[in-house]
Amino acid sequence: ILCFGFAMKRTAEGLPRPPEGIPASSESSSDNTHKVLSARGSVAAALHSVAATAGELWGAAAQSIRWRCGQAEDSAAVEHWHVIASVGDIRAKRVHACIEGRYVTAMWQEDSGSVSVMDSICYHMGGPLTLGDIEDIGVEEAVVSCPWHHHKIGVVSGKKYSQPVVFENGKPIVGPWSCGDKIFQQTHKSKIEKGQVMVCLVPGGASESYAYDAQCGTNLLSGGARLGGDGKRSR
């Protein structure tokens, strides 16, 4: 409708407006000329009316689009927080939870007195990552070691740590632990309010492909007592 109205408006702008000052009963030297002028005037008036209506519709549509975009931006800005445990519970042990279908684990950070939250299921092959041992490997954060393939993931950053190997005189020399910039295991927002640990999910991440997997989640919540990818049990 809007496109048609715009086209009609362009057409109407190129036509003469209805003739003024010609009474309906006036006599003309030529009845045919009078009829042509009257017909053209009627068409021009109709086109201008359609163009005006189209302009009003266009303005209303533009306003509606702006309003809807504003609503979408407001909706995207809303954060949904979920209580998953008390501080007392999480200080005693890790807490595994399923929030909006996504499996996450909250871990207490003794040094900072805070909570870190990440996807529970390993990005690599769907193993029960957060059931693994938490280790100090001499970097700025603790790491959790996946019980299936032993990938070491920073519990705060979600980055993967590894040791580069170089050869000197034909002998392998293992370098220090380091990580790149890529986040392998998605982390989530967390806060503590009135003694309760709250989590806000952050979408995306390399681990998202497994994060909603019900079978992997069941395996994790049941203790992960299954054979891992390396033939060892996960617990």
Side-chain angles (χ1 to χ4, degrees):
I1 294 173
L2 296 179
C3 293
F4 172 75
F6 182 73
M8 294 293 286
K9 181 179 179 181
R10 294 293 299 273
T11 302
E13 290 173 349
L15 292 175
R17 292 186 176 274
E20 299 177 358
I22 302 179
S25 60
S26 63
E27 296 182 356
S28 171
S29 60
S30 173
D31 290 340
N32 289 335
T33 301
H34 176 73
K35 291 179 180 180
V36 169
L37 289 175
S38 297
R40 293 188 63 182
S42 298
V43 171
L47 289 175
H48 281 291
S49 177
V50 170
T53 302
E56 293 175 0
L57 289 174
W58 174 257
Q63 180 65 28
S64 176
I65 291 170
R66 286 193 295 269
W67 180 81
R68 290 179 182 276
C69 289
Q71 287 289 95
E73 291 174 358
D74 292 342
S75 176
V78 173
E79 293 184 336
H80 299 283
W81 290 89
H82 307 266
V83 176
I84 64 169
S86 68
V87 172
D89 287 340
I90 206 167
R91 292 190 70 171
K93 60 182 179 180
R94 290 171 245 184
V95 173
H96 310 288
C98 182
I99 301 176
E100 297 178 9
R102 188 166 190 148
Y103 294 89
V104 301
T105 298
M107 294 168 276
W108 179 257
Q109 304 301 310
E110 192 65 44
D111 293 343
S112 61
S114 62
V115 176
S116 62
V117 182
M118 65 165 52
D119 284 345
S120 304
I121 303 167
C122 187
Y123 77 93
H124 180 219
M125 288 185 67
L129 170 67
T130 54
L131 293 182
D133 294 332
I134 295 180
E135 305 174 2
D136 180 357
I137 58 174
V139 295
E140 60 184 14
E141 61 181 325
V143 300
V144 59
S145 181
C146 183
W148 278 16
H149 301 103
H150 318 295
H151 291 299
K152 299 187 185 301
I153 306 296
V155 297
V156 176
S157 68
K159 297 178 180 179
K160 182 174 72 172
Y161 287 83
S162 60
Q163 291 176 289
V165 177
V166 296
F167 287 85
E168 294 182 5
N169 299 322
K171 296 181 179 180
I173 305 297
V174 179
W177 289 100
S178 63
C179 68
D181 294 329
K182 181 178 179 179
I183 296 176
F184 284 83
Q185 200 72 11
Q186 184 66 16
T187 58
H188 304 280
K189 297 179 181 180
S190 64
K191 63 182 179 180
I192 298 174
E193 285 189 358
K194 299 179 180 180
Q196 300 295 310
V197 178
M198 304 183 70
V199 175
C200 177
L201 296 180
V202 178
S207 55
E208 189 169 56
S209 59
Y210 286 109
Y212 293 92
D213 191 296
Q215 183 59 58
C216 292
T218 300
N219 180 36
L220 176 117
L221 296 178
S222 64
R226 291 186 170 203
L227 289 178
D230 57 1
K232 298 180 180 179
R233 289 196 174 273
S234 61
R235 292 289 287 178

